[in-house]
Amino acid sequence: MKERTSILEESVKNILIYAMIFFIIMAIIGVFVVKNNYNDEIAQLEEKYKEQINLSSNKYIQEEIDNIKKYLDDGFSYLENSAKEFIDSNYNFAYNYYHSSNNKDEALDFLIKNTKYPIKYKIYNGIDPEYQYYTKYMELDNGKMLKINIDEQKYKETQRKVALENIKNLHNIHLSNFDAKEIDDDFTFLDNESWYCVYENNIYTCYDKNWWIKIEFSAKTSALEDSLIKAKSDRFLFFIKQSIYISIAMLFGYLLLYLYTLKKRKEVKEQIEIATNHFDDALNTQIANFNKLKSINTDFTYKEFRTLSYALLRFIRKIKAKDSHLKKQAYIDNITGLMNMVSVYESLKLYNKKQGKVLLFCFLNIASFRAYNSMYGRNFGDEILKLVGFRLYSIMKNIPVNDDEHTESNRYKNNDKYLFIQNNETFECLARISADEFLLVTEVNENEDFYKIAKSYQQKLISKNIKINSNDENISYEPFKINARIGYCVYPNDSDNILECIGNADLAIENDKATGDNVVFGYTKEIGEQNEADLKLQQDIRNGIVNKEFLLYYQPKVDCQSGKIIGAEALVRWQKGDKLIFPDQFIGLCEKSNLIITLGNEIIKMACDAQRRWIQQGLKLKLSINLSTKQLLNENIINTIEKNMQGIDPSLLEFEITESFSIENAASKGIIDKIKKLNVGLSMDDFGKGYSSLSYLNNKDLDFDVVKIDKCFIQNIDKNERNKKLVAFIVKMIKSLNKRSVAEGVENEEILTFLQSLGCDEYQGYYFSKPVPEKILLERVYNNAKN
Ligand code: C2E
Ligand code: CA
Ligand code: CA
């Protein structure tokens, strides 16, 4: 399986990834901003370039034009001033020379001959009207005038050349194609301006009227371009630099963060290590505490882990609750909250025998528990069981109990308050084993009187009334007494197999002799042997059923008055080899197990087959079939009967049901009704045996046609006056209820005579015939018919 990375590692990894994404985004944004700036700057540069390339707005050109103009103006005024000075100084020289000379003509001649360009001397008779330019006249002795001036044209020309040359050399580097030229003589100036410039086809042309020159030039685009490219590449380099700085800054930031997380990770790991140890301790303490006290200790030193601890504990508790719920279902009896058989076994397996101590196994059975269920319903029965369980617990633990045992029993059950010490101190178990059976195991001294202890349990259990509280305000239950029997067994005295002791105690209570007023029975070797024998017998019976070893004998039923056979009772026999075994040897055992159902079905089948044979022979005998309680409680019984009675007039069949069944079982009425619906006869068997409540006869729900008075009343009726009276009364009652009376166990004529005198309807007994095989029965029937 792939190992899971820790939350810490995962978070650090995530943080670093997110941080990297963050820094990258920041770097991109930074570079983007810088790039925008760069773009702006480049745009500005280009704008500037365009401006400059456009001469009209090029400040260099404006400057240059101004410079040139100034230069030309200055040059021109210098030209004028210097010409004047030149003339003035020549005049002064000429004047002095002429007037200081004795020979005026020679002097004049000298002056003219030595005149140097651009000064011109000319002799006039008066003032020359033509020429207006700065000129001086000197009066000569002969009355004539010496005109002193300069050769303006020539002078100007010379100066212009110098000026043009100078201008060409002086011009600004931002200009190109610079040229300065003389203007043609016929050129006409615009508006008589002395200076103006015209811009056309990227060429600038300025005109100067003073100098009569024009200057031509254009902007030097290559230089501008160069500077633009240079500026651009400078900007680009700057942009790259900025971007690199930003990236480096981001990288550096990221690196710092990375180093920081590295450091922190180490720290947190150490912290976790410490905390985990602490947490483990705390948790272990908690769990131990929880197991012991079922409570959570909130004393956590590490605040950070408190929530986590609670979460974990909640989780653990949930699991425990679930676990304990499952355990509860598996180990606890759901009605009483006591232990069940499984947990008893588990506990016993852990038992260590102690010196001088033995275990006393007490198996308790509540008498007639079914009757409570059938009278008040199952829930009521459950409440009794719960209360009895609690009462046994308080007996075992010596807990003083107030009057409201019922509430207390609920409290104990609902809050899991039942506790048992399984090993260390005194061993004890209390469990409900089945419907109304409890098992109480206590550790006692080996020399105790076990019977006395068991008896004391039994006494304490039945001494107090049972009071069940009702949920319904309108119903209240009267307190009542219960009865209970105990079978006990001592480990290891009675058996060295500890688990076997439970069964032994059960056997003790189920023991054949466990009848009558006796309520406490100890396990004996004989009981064990009997049980062994019973088990063997059960196996034999099973085989017997398979091998068809069971057959029916028939005991005739005779009309008391006429002495005629009117029917017969089918009684089962077991032909085991050459031995014929009577039902008292096996019916009881079959009833304990479910064998009676299988055997009973077989009997019904055999009986009905016999009846069909009789009918075929033209006989009209009513056949009685015995049904035992277990058979009747089996839901298939009606089907079985219906299936087998095909072809038989229902009035020729009768079923004998014991009185105890009709009284003890809630379901009896339903079953009896169903049998009655088949229109067969119904007989209450063994009336008076065990239960002597005559009022049952009167029960309208138990719709019997026949009542069979138990043979224990009949057999010795001739010697027992009390029974005589009783039978007389019973027969009378049966008559008054319009039912037929049958006496069984009629062994002599005396008894028969007595019964006849009472007006009893039918009888059965050895006096007339023992139960006999079918063949003999039929002979008797034929013989009987002849008489
Ligand atoms: P039960 O139903 O009360 O049957 C009558 C028993 O009394 C029979 O014993 C019968 O042989 C015996 N008996 C009849 N007349 C006399 C008499 O004059 N004196 C004496 N001392 N006894 C007499 P059996 O056949 O041994 O049956 C014993 C019990 O076994 C029956 O008592 C019945 O409870 C049970 N049983 C017998 N056959 C069946 C059967 O087919 N199905 C079921 N479920 N139970 C059966
Ligand atoms: Ca019978
Ligand atoms: Ca009987």
Side-chain angles (χ1 to χ4, degrees):
M1 203 172 92
K2 204 178 132 197
E3 202 184 318
R4 203 185 177 292
T5 46
S6 78
I7 294 176
L8 174 70
E9 292 300 327
E10 223 162 73
S11 343
V12 167
K13 206 175 111 189
N14 286 344
I15 285 172
L16 288 178
I17 288 172
Y18 291 139
M20 188 182 278
I21 292 169
F22 171 78
F23 280 115
I24 288 173
I25 289 173
M26 287 309 282
I28 289 171
I29 290 173
V31 170
F32 185 74
V33 169
V34 170
K35 177 81 186 353
N36 260 6
N37 272 348
Y38 164 79
N39 286 346
D40 284 354
E41 281 173 7
I42 293 296
Q44 272 175 22
L45 284 175
E46 276 171 352
E47 190 64 30
K48 216 162 129 197
Y49 167 76
K50 267 184 209 152
E51 258 174 31
Q52 288 176 3
I53 223 162
N54 181 351
L55 294 176
S56 61
S57 54
N58 189 321
K59 71 172 187 199
Y60 297 114
I61 293 183
Q62 290 306 325
E63 259 171 35
E64 190 60 27
I65 290 170
D66 289 347
N67 282 342
I68 290 168
K69 168 106 167 48
K70 194 165 173 279
Y71 175 80
L72 286 176
D73 284 353
D74 286 354
F76 190 72
S77 52
Y78 169 78
L79 184 69
E80 280 193 335
N81 291 338
S82 66
K84 275 182 197 159
E85 269 174 34
F86 212 12
I87 290 167
D88 285 348
S89 66
N90 269 286
Y91 172 82
N92 290 342
F93 174 77
Y95 190 86
N96 289 335
Y97 189 81
Y98 182 78
H99 285 290
S100 60
S101 172
N102 299 330
N103 187 341
K104 300 292 181 192
D105 288 334
E106 263 178 46
L108 192 61
D109 197 39
F110 174 79
L111 284 174
I112 290 169
K113 274 183 183 160
N114 286 294
T115 304
K116 280 187 187 146
Y117 172 82
I119 295 293
K120 281 199 296 195
Y121 289 177
K122 208 172 178 183
I123 298 167
Y124 285 89
N125 291 329
I127 290 170
D128 182 5
E130 271 172 47
Y131 198 68
Q132 300 301 317
Y133 195 69
Y134 190 78
T135 305
K136 277 206 163 178
Y137 292 92
M138 190 175 81
E139 214 176 343
L140 297 174
D141 288 354
N142 56 7
K144 287 189 181 176
M145 297 288 237
L146 181 67
K147 180 182 162 193
I148 304 168
N149 68 348
I150 57 168
D151 184 345
E152 194 194 342
Q153 201 66 32
K154 235 176 173 178
Y155 182 61
K156 260 192 185 168
E157 238 151 61
T158 327
Q159 289 304 320
R160 191 192 291 139
K161 271 183 188 132
V162 175
L164 283 174
E165 205 52 42
N166 282 343
I167 286 165
K168 278 180 192 164
N169 293 331
L170 277 175
H171 77 81
N172 191 297
I173 51 150
H174 293 290
L175 308 182
S176 64
N177 307 322
F178 190 91
D179 201 11
K181 286 184 199 157
E182 291 172 30
I183 302 171
D184 296 337
D185 289 347
D186 53 351
F187 183 79
T188 327
F189 276 87
L190 273 175
D191 304 328
N192 275 339
E193 291 259 6
S194 66
W195 170 266
Y196 65 89
C197 298
V198 176
Y199 179 58
E200 236 173 21
N201 301 329
N202 274 340
I203 293 180
Y204 228 93
T205 315
C206 294
Y207 299 90
D208 189 316
K209 205 175 183 178
N210 289 332
W211 286 99
W212 209 255
I213 56 171
K214 62 175 182 187
I215 302 154
E216 281 181 350
F217 56 87
S218 60
K220 193 175 178 184
T221 49
S222 68
L224 284 173
E225 254 164 33
D226 286 350
S227 77
L228 177 70
I229 288 165
K230 188 168 180 308
K232 268 183 173 175
S233 79
D234 283 353
R235 293 310 306 156
F236 184 70
L237 279 179
F238 187 61
F239 158 69
I240 294 292
K241 254 192 234 167
Q242 276 181 323
S243 302
I244 289 171
Y245 290 156
I246 288 171
S247 303
I248 287 174
M250 293 299 159
L251 202 71
F252 190 67
Y254 181 73
L255 202 73
L256 277 183
L257 186 81
Y258 182 77
L259 291 176
Y260 180 75
T261 54
L262 223 60
K263 185 169 161 281
K264 275 284 152 197
R265 179 158 46 183
K266 211 173 143 237
E267 274 175 29
V268 172
K269 264 186 178 168
E270 283 164 10
Q271 290 278 332
I272 287 176
E273 189 63 31
I274 296 167
T276 307
N277 291 338
H278 181 89
F279 182 65
D280 274 353
D281 289 348
L283 197 61
N284 286 337
T285 318
Q286 282 289 21
I287 291 170
N289 193 50
F290 181 77
N291 283 339
K292 212 161 97 196
L293 302 173
K294 303 251 182 281
S295 75
I296 289 186
N297 178 8
T298 50
D299 173 26
F300 275 106
T301 323
Y302 274 65
K303 169 165 124 265
E304 292 87 341
F305 290 98
R306 202 174 292 156
T307 321
L308 182 59
S309 308
Y310 280 140
L312 264 176
L313 276 170
R314 261 203 305 279
F315 179 64
I316 290 167
R317 197 151 55 161
K318 255 189 200 161
I319 290 176
K320 275 186 174 281
K322 208 171 178 186
D323 192 43
S324 71
H325 180 67
L326 287 175
K327 265 205 186 123
K328 221 168 135 180
Q329 289 196 325
Y331 289 99
I332 290 181
D333 170 49
N334 62 339
I335 290 179
T336 61
L338 296 171
M339 298 167 84
N340 63 10
M341 204 57 184
V342 177
S343 48
V344 169
Y345 275 145
E346 301 276 301
S347 304
L348 288 174
K349 276 189 214 154
L350 297 173
Y351 178 68
N352 295 324
K353 165 108 175 67
K354 292 180 207 113
Q355 188 67 38
K357 295 276 181 187
V358 293
L359 288 188
L360 176 62
F361 287 73
C362 291
F363 205 99
L364 291 106
N365 184 301
I366 302 169
S368 315
F369 183 72
R370 274 185 183 152
Y372 300 114
N373 269 344
S374 52
M375 274 189 283
Y376 298 105
R378 259 200 107 83
N379 291 346
F380 186 80
D382 287 352
E383 295 306 306
I384 296 175
L385 292 172
K386 210 190 287 175
L387 193 151
V388 166
F390 175 68
R391 189 177 281 185
L392 286 170
Y393 185 76
S394 44
I395 291 169
M396 184 182 84
K397 291 276 191 187
N398 257 322
I399 301 172
V401 176
N402 60 23
D403 284 344
D404 198 358
E405 277 177 296
H406 186 210
T407 307
E408 199 66 357
S409 67
N410 275 315
R411 205 166 68 82
Y412 264 70
K413 187 209 161 186
N414 296 337
N415 301 328
D416 298 332
K417 281 172 72 75
Y418 288 118
L419 292 176
F420 301 98
I421 300 161
Q422 306 298 6
N423 223 347
N424 304 330
E425 293 166 47
T426 311
F427 184 90
E428 55 197 13
C429 279
L430 176 57
R432 192 174 73 103
I433 300 298
S434 69
D436 54 355
E437 293 172 329
F438 290 84
L439 177 70
L440 177 63
V441 185
T442 48
E443 194 170 38
V444 296
N445 293 326
E446 62 183 0
N447 49 9
E448 297 268 0
D449 182 344
F450 308 124
Y451 177 84
K452 229 172 113 182
I453 299 174
K455 178 87 185 170
S456 80
Y457 291 156
Q458 194 269 351
Q459 286 298 311
K460 283 179 190 163
L461 176 61
I462 65 166
S463 61
K464 248 171 90 180
N465 278 335
I466 300 271
K467 173 84 181 87
I468 301 295
N469 304 326
S470 163
N471 291 332
D472 188 338
E473 276 177 28
N474 303 318
I475 300 172
S476 83
Y477 302 115
E478 283 301 309
F480 58 91
K481 274 203 150 48
I482 51 158
N483 211 339
R485 299 193 301 165
I486 289 188
Y488 69 89
C489 170
V490 180
Y491 170 83
N493 306 15
D494 292 326
S495 169
D496 50 12
N497 181 337
I498 197 163
L499 298 180
E500 214 175 75
C501 287
I502 304 171
N504 289 349
D506 189 10
L507 286 178
I509 211 172
E510 299 293 337
N511 173 18
D512 281 349
K513 279 156 252 143
T515 46
D517 296 337
N518 223 357
V519 284
V520 178
F521 312 94
Y523 175 80
T524 59
K525 226 172 159 188
E526 291 71 45
I527 293 174
E529 284 164 5
Q530 178 66 52
N531 182 51
E532 293 280 302
D534 283 355
L535 290 175
K536 162 121 194 7
L537 184 59
Q538 271 186 25
Q539 191 51 45
D540 285 353
I541 294 169
R542 248 176 234 119
N543 294 337
I545 296 171
V546 175
N547 297 330
K548 307 254 177 239
E549 290 168 6
F550 291 91
L551 54 125
L552 289 181
Y553 270 40
Y554 302 92
Q555 185 174 41
K557 286 186 169 179
V558 187
D559 186 297
C560 283
Q561 303 305 324
S562 68
K564 292 271 182 278
I565 297 173
I566 48 172
E569 177 180 5
L571 293 158
V572 69
R573 299 289 180 264
W574 183 9
Q575 187 73 56
K576 199 171 176 229
D578 54 359
K579 265 196 298 174
L580 189 69
I581 303 172
F582 283 78
D584 57 340
Q585 300 293 306
F586 59 87
I587 285 288
L589 198 60
C590 287
E591 279 174 341
K592 270 192 200 168
S593 63
N594 280 330
L595 280 172
I596 191 67
I597 293 166
T598 321
L599 182 60
N601 289 345
E602 201 61 23
I603 290 166
I604 294 168
K605 185 177 176 294
M606 288 191 290
C608 290
D609 287 347
Q611 179 62 294
R612 269 186 288 270
R613 283 193 291 274
W614 302 345
I615 292 168
Q616 273 184 356
Q617 292 180 37
L619 296 173
K620 220 174 173 192
L621 292 168
K622 189 165 74 181
L623 178 59
S624 299
I625 301 168
N626 290 286
L627 293 177
S628 73
T629 302
K630 267 230 174 110
Q631 259 179 296
L632 285 163
L633 292 176
N634 185 274
E635 48 198 32
N636 282 327
I637 186 67
I638 306 296
N639 285 341
T640 309
I641 295 172
E642 241 184 331
K643 196 177 84 189
N644 282 293
M645 63 185 278
Q646 298 297 320
I648 302 170
D649 177 357
S651 66
L652 293 180
L653 282 179
E654 184 181 79
F655 289 94
E656 295 190 6
I657 294 170
T658 60
E659 181 195 1
S660 60
F661 166 77
S662 16
I663 296 166
E664 277 181 11
N665 294 286
S668 60
K669 174 165 166 30
I671 295 162
I672 288 167
D673 284 350
K674 279 179 187 161
I675 294 175
K676 282 296 295 182
K677 274 209 180 114
L678 300 173
N679 292 321
V680 294
L682 206 57
S683 166
M684 184 189 276
D685 202 358
D686 300 345
F687 182 77
K689 183 183 172 190
Y691 301 84
S692 20
S693 174
L694 295 175
S695 60
Y696 275 112
L697 271 186
N698 210 3
N699 193 332
K700 299 242 161 49
D701 287 345
L702 307 175
D703 187 13
F704 291 93
D705 312 292
V706 179
V707 178
K708 277 178 94 170
I709 305 162
D710 191 72
K711 57 183 173 287
C712 66
F713 295 108
I714 308 296
Q715 273 166 331
N716 51 8
I717 206 167
D718 45 339
K719 295 165 199 118
N720 188 323
E721 273 306 307
R722 201 179 149 265
N723 275 357
K724 242 183 185 166
K725 280 186 187 156
L726 198 63
V727 171
F729 178 69
I730 291 171
V731 171
K732 223 170 144 185
M733 256 194 84
I734 295 170
K735 251 192 173 21
S736 73
L737 291 168
N738 277 327
K739 298 180 197 295
R740 287 177 72 80
S741 51
V742 178
E744 64 176 20
V746 177
E747 294 184 353
N748 55 48
E749 197 178 3
E750 239 183 305
I751 301 173
L752 176 62
T753 316
F754 177 66
L755 290 169
Q756 283 171 332
S757 74
L758 292 179
C760 182
D761 297 309
E762 297 165 30
Y763 78 93
Q764 246 179 291
Y766 294 171
Y767 171 66
F768 185 84
S769 166
K770 284 194 168 185
V772 289
E774 185 183 355
K775 190 170 160 249
I776 299 174
L777 172 79
L778 295 181
E779 279 172 18
R780 296 240 160 100
V781 171
Y782 286 120
N783 286 336
N784 181 258
K786 279 185 218 151
N787 296 330

